[in-house]
Coordinates of all heavy atoms in Angstrom, one line a residue:
D1 N 91.0 119.9 103.0 CA 90.5 121.2 102.6 C 91.7 122.0 101.9 O 91.4 123.0 101.2 CB 90.0 122.0 103.8 CG 91.0 122.1 104.9 OD1 92.1 121.4 104.8 OD2 90.8 122.8 105.9
L2 N 92.9 121.5 102.0 CA 94.0 122.2 101.4 C 94.5 121.5 100.1 O 94.9 122.2 99.1 CB 95.2 122.4 102.4 CG 94.9 123.3 103.6 CD1 96.2 123.3 104.4 CD2 94.6 124.7 103.1
Q3 N 94.6 120.2 100.1 CA 95.2 119.5 99.0 C 94.3 118.7 98.2 O 94.6 118.1 97.2 CB 96.3 118.6 99.5 CG 95.9 117.4 100.4 CD 97.0 116.4 100.7 OE1 97.8 116.2 99.8 NE2 97.0 115.9 101.9
G4 N 93.0 118.6 98.6 CA 92.0 117.8 97.8 C 92.2 116.4 98.1 O 92.9 116.0 99.0
G5 N 91.4 115.5 97.4 CA 91.5 114.1 97.7 C 90.2 113.4 97.2 O 89.6 113.8 96.2
T6 N 89.8 112.3 97.8 CA 88.7 111.5 97.4 C 87.7 111.4 98.5 O 88.0 111.2 99.7 CB 89.2 110.1 97.0 OG1 90.1 110.2 95.9 CG2 88.1 109.2 96.6
H7 N 86.4 111.5 98.0 CA 85.2 111.4 98.9 C 84.4 110.2 98.5 O 84.0 110.2 97.3 CB 84.4 112.7 98.9 CG 83.1 112.6 99.7 ND1 83.0 113.0 101.0 CD2 81.9 112.2 99.3 CE1 81.8 112.9 101.4 NE2 81.1 112.4 100.4
I8 N 84.2 109.2 99.4 CA 83.5 108.0 99.0 C 82.4 107.8 100.0 O 82.5 108.0 101.2 CB 84.5 106.8 99.1 CG1 85.7 107.0 98.2 CG2 83.8 105.5 98.7 CD1 86.8 105.9 98.3
V9 N 81.2 107.4 99.4 CA 80.1 107.0 100.2 C 79.8 105.6 100.0 O 79.6 105.1 98.9 CB 78.8 107.9 99.8 CG1 77.6 107.4 100.7 CG2 79.1 109.3 99.9
L10 N 79.8 104.8 101.1 CA 79.6 103.3 101.0 C 78.2 103.1 101.7 O 77.9 103.8 102.7 CB 80.7 102.6 101.7 CG 82.1 102.8 101.2 CD1 83.1 102.2 102.2 CD2 82.3 102.3 99.8
E11 N 77.6 102.0 101.3 CA 76.3 101.6 101.9 C 76.3 100.1 102.2 O 76.6 99.3 101.3 CB 75.1 102.0 101.1 CG 73.8 101.7 101.8 CD 72.6 102.1 101.0 OE1 72.3 101.5 99.9 OE2 71.9 103.1 101.4
A12 N 76.0 99.7 103.4 CA 75.9 98.3 103.8 C 74.7 97.6 103.1 O 73.6 98.2 103.1 CB 75.9 98.1 105.3
Q13 N 74.9 96.4 102.5 CA 73.9 95.7 101.8 C 73.6 94.4 102.5 O 74.4 93.7 103.0 CB 74.4 95.4 100.4 CG 74.8 96.6 99.6 CD 73.6 97.4 99.1 OE1 72.6 96.9 98.5 NE2 73.6 98.7 99.4
D14 N 72.3 94.1 102.6 CA 71.8 92.8 103.2 C 72.2 91.7 102.3 O 72.0 91.8 101.0 CB 70.3 92.8 103.4 CG 69.9 93.7 104.6 OD1 70.4 93.5 105.7 OD2 69.1 94.6 104.4
T15 N 72.7 90.6 102.8 CA 72.9 89.3 102.1 C 72.3 88.2 102.9 O 72.1 88.4 104.2 CB 74.4 89.1 101.9 OG1 75.1 89.0 103.2 CG2 75.1 90.2 101.1
P16 N 72.0 87.1 102.3 CA 71.5 85.9 103.1 C 72.3 85.5 104.3 O 71.8 85.2 105.3 CB 71.4 84.8 102.0 CG 71.3 85.5 100.7 CD 72.1 86.8 100.9
D17 N 73.6 85.6 104.1 CA 74.5 85.2 105.2 C 74.8 86.3 106.2 O 75.3 86.0 107.3 CB 75.9 84.7 104.6 CG 75.7 83.5 103.7 OD1 74.7 82.7 104.0 OD2 76.4 83.4 102.7
A18 N 74.7 87.6 105.8 CA 75.1 88.7 106.6 C 74.1 89.8 106.5 O 74.3 90.8 105.8 CB 76.5 89.1 106.3
P19 N 73.0 89.8 107.3 CA 72.1 90.9 107.3 C 72.7 92.1 108.0 O 73.5 92.0 108.9 CB 70.9 90.3 108.1 CG 71.4 89.3 108.9 CD 72.6 88.7 108.2
V20 N 72.2 93.3 107.6 CA 72.8 94.5 108.1 C 72.2 94.8 109.5 O 70.9 94.8 109.6 CB 72.5 95.7 107.2 CG1 73.0 97.0 107.8 CG2 73.2 95.5 105.8
T21 N 73.0 95.0 110.5 CA 72.6 95.4 111.8 C 73.4 96.6 112.2 O 74.4 96.9 111.6 CB 72.8 94.3 112.8 OG1 74.2 93.9 112.9 CG2 72.0 93.0 112.4
D22 N 73.0 97.2 113.3 CA 73.7 98.4 113.8 C 75.1 98.0 114.2 O 76.1 98.7 114.0 CB 73.0 99.0 114.9 CG 73.6 100.4 115.3 OD1 73.6 101.3 114.5 OD2 74.0 100.5 116.5
D23 N 75.2 96.8 114.8 CA 76.5 96.3 115.3 C 77.5 96.0 114.1 O 78.6 96.3 114.2 CB 76.3 95.1 116.2 CG 77.7 94.5 116.7 OD1 78.4 95.2 117.4 OD2 78.0 93.4 116.2
S24 N 76.9 95.4 113.1 CA 77.7 95.0 111.9 C 78.2 96.2 111.2 O 79.4 96.3 110.7 CB 77.0 94.1 111.0 OG 75.9 94.8 110.4
V25 N 77.4 97.3 111.1 CA 77.9 98.5 110.5 C 79.0 99.2 111.3 O 79.9 99.7 110.7 CB 76.7 99.5 110.2 CG1 77.2 100.8 109.7 CG2 75.7 98.9 109.3
N26 N 78.8 99.2 112.6 CA 79.8 99.8 113.5 C 81.2 99.1 113.3 O 82.2 99.7 113.3 CB 79.4 99.8 114.9 CG 78.3 100.8 115.2 OD1 78.2 101.8 114.5 ND2 77.4 100.5 116.2
R27 N 81.1 97.7 113.2 CA 82.3 96.9 113.1 C 82.9 97.2 111.7 O 84.1 97.2 111.5 CB 82.0 95.4 113.3 CG 81.8 95.1 114.7 CD 81.8 93.6 114.9 NE 80.6 93.0 114.4 CZ 80.5 91.9 113.5 NH1 81.7 91.3 113.2 NH2 79.4 91.5 113.1
A28 N 82.0 97.4 110.7 CA 82.5 97.7 109.3 C 83.3 99.0 109.3 O 84.3 99.2 108.7 CB 81.4 97.7 108.3
V29 N 82.8 100.0 110.1 CA 83.4 101.3 110.2 C 84.8 101.2 110.8 O 85.8 101.7 110.3 CB 82.6 102.3 111.0 CG1 83.4 103.6 111.3 CG2 81.3 102.7 110.3
T30 N 84.9 100.4 111.8 CA 86.2 100.1 112.5 C 87.2 99.5 111.5 O 88.4 99.8 111.4 CB 86.0 99.3 113.7 OG1 85.1 99.9 114.6 CG2 87.3 99.0 114.4
I31 N 86.7 98.5 110.8 CA 87.6 97.7 109.9 C 88.1 98.6 108.7 O 89.2 98.6 108.3 CB 86.9 96.4 109.4 CG1 86.8 95.5 110.5 CG2 87.7 95.8 108.2 CD1 86.0 94.2 110.2
V32 N 87.1 99.4 108.1 CA 87.5 100.3 107.0 C 88.5 101.3 107.5 O 89.5 101.6 106.8 CB 86.2 101.0 106.5 CG1 86.6 102.2 105.6 CG2 85.3 100.0 105.7
E33 N 88.3 101.9 108.7 CA 89.2 102.8 109.2 C 90.6 102.2 109.4 O 91.6 102.8 109.1 CB 88.7 103.4 110.6 CG 89.5 104.5 111.1 CD 88.9 105.2 112.3 OE1 88.0 104.5 112.9 OE2 89.2 106.3 112.6
R34 N 90.6 100.9 109.9 CA 91.9 100.2 110.1 C 92.6 100.0 108.8 O 93.8 100.2 108.6 CB 91.6 98.9 110.8 CG 92.9 98.2 111.4 CD 92.5 96.9 112.0 NE 91.5 97.0 112.9 CZ 90.6 96.0 113.2 NH1 90.7 94.9 112.6 NH2 89.7 96.2 114.1
R35 N 91.9 99.7 107.7 CA 92.5 99.4 106.4 C 93.0 100.7 105.8 O 94.1 100.7 105.3 CB 91.4 98.9 105.4 CG 91.0 97.4 105.8 CD 90.0 96.9 104.8 NE 89.6 95.6 105.1 CZ 88.7 94.8 104.4 NH1 88.2 95.4 103.3 NH2 88.4 93.6 104.7
I36 N 92.3 101.8 106.0 CA 92.8 103.1 105.5 C 94.0 103.6 106.2 O 95.0 104.1 105.6 CB 91.7 104.2 105.6 CG1 90.6 103.8 104.6 CG2 92.2 105.6 105.3 CD1 89.4 104.7 104.7
N37 N 94.1 103.4 107.5 CA 95.3 103.7 108.3 C 96.5 102.9 107.9 O 97.6 103.4 107.8 CB 95.0 103.5 109.8 CG 94.0 104.5 110.4 OD1 93.9 105.6 109.8 ND2 93.3 104.2 111.4
E38 N 96.2 101.7 107.5 CA 97.3 100.8 107.0 C 97.9 101.3 105.7 O 99.0 101.1 105.3 CB 96.9 99.4 106.8 CG 96.5 98.7 108.1 CD 97.7 98.1 108.8 OE1 98.8 98.2 108.3 OE2 97.6 97.5 109.9
M39 N 97.0 102.1 104.9 CA 97.4 102.6 103.6 C 98.4 103.8 103.8 O 99.0 104.2 102.8 CB 96.2 103.0 102.8 CG 95.4 101.8 102.3 SD 93.8 102.4 101.6 CE 94.3 103.2 100.1
G40 N 98.5 104.3 105.0 CA 99.4 105.4 105.2 C 98.9 106.8 104.7 O 99.7 107.7 104.5
L41 N 97.6 107.0 104.6 CA 97.1 108.3 104.1 C 97.1 109.3 105.2 O 97.1 109.0 106.4 CB 95.7 108.1 103.5 CG 95.6 107.1 102.3 CD1 94.2 107.0 101.8 CD2 96.4 107.7 101.1
T42 N 97.0 110.6 104.8 CA 97.1 111.7 105.7 C 95.7 112.0 106.3 O 94.8 112.4 105.6 CB 97.6 112.9 105.0 OG1 98.8 112.7 104.4 CG2 97.7 114.1 106.0
E43 N 95.6 111.8 107.6 CA 94.4 112.1 108.4 C 93.1 111.8 107.7 O 92.3 112.7 107.4 CB 94.4 113.6 108.8 CG 93.5 114.0 110.0 CD 93.8 115.3 110.6 OE1 94.9 115.5 111.2 OE2 93.0 116.2 110.5
P44 N 92.8 110.6 107.4 CA 91.6 110.2 106.7 C 90.4 110.4 107.7 O 90.6 110.4 108.9 CB 91.8 108.7 106.3 CG 92.7 108.2 107.4 CD 93.7 109.4 107.7
I45 N 89.2 110.5 107.1 CA 88.0 110.6 107.9 C 87.1 109.5 107.6 O 86.7 109.3 106.4 CB 87.3 112.0 107.7 CG1 88.2 113.1 108.2 CG2 86.0 112.0 108.4 CD1 87.6 114.5 107.8
V46 N 86.7 108.7 108.5 CA 85.7 107.6 108.3 C 84.6 107.8 109.4 O 84.9 107.7 110.6 CB 86.4 106.2 108.5 CG1 85.4 105.1 108.3 CG2 87.6 106.1 107.5
Q47 N 83.4 108.0 108.9 CA 82.3 108.1 109.9 C 81.0 107.5 109.4 O 80.8 107.4 108.2 CB 82.1 109.6 110.2 CG 81.8 110.5 108.9 CD 81.8 112.0 109.2 OE1 82.3 112.4 110.3 NE2 81.3 112.8 108.3
K48 N 80.2 107.1 110.3 CA 78.9 106.5 110.0 C 77.9 107.6 109.8 O 77.9 108.6 110.4 CB 78.5 105.6 111.2 CG 77.2 104.9 111.0 CD 76.9 104.0 112.2 CE 75.5 103.4 112.1 NZ 75.1 102.6 113.3

């Protein structure tokens, strides 16, 4: 709210090998959050 930044909306897609389930989306949220934290950004927000 003070310095601006980037807002991204992602959507899980069904594939033959990996259909979208509630569990897979929750795990995707955890992994995305982990990757962002590794990038060293300031207080990122990742939510389903």
Side-chain angles (χ1 to χ4, degrees):
D1 55 354
L2 293 180
Q3 66 171 324
T6 297
H7 176 91
I8 303 173
V9 180
L10 305 170
E11 185 176 71
Q13 303 287 306
D14 285 305
T15 62
D17 297 328
V20 176
T21 64
D22 190 59
D23 178 64
S24 65
V25 174
N26 288 335
R27 284 191 291 130
V29 169
T30 301
I31 291 173
V32 168
E33 187 171 18
R34 195 182 306 152
R35 290 181 180 180
I36 290 173
N37 289 336
E38 293 276 2
M39 293 169 65
L41 298 176
T42 303
E43 200 165 292
I45 296 174
V46 181
Q47 58 189 11
K48 181 180 175 183

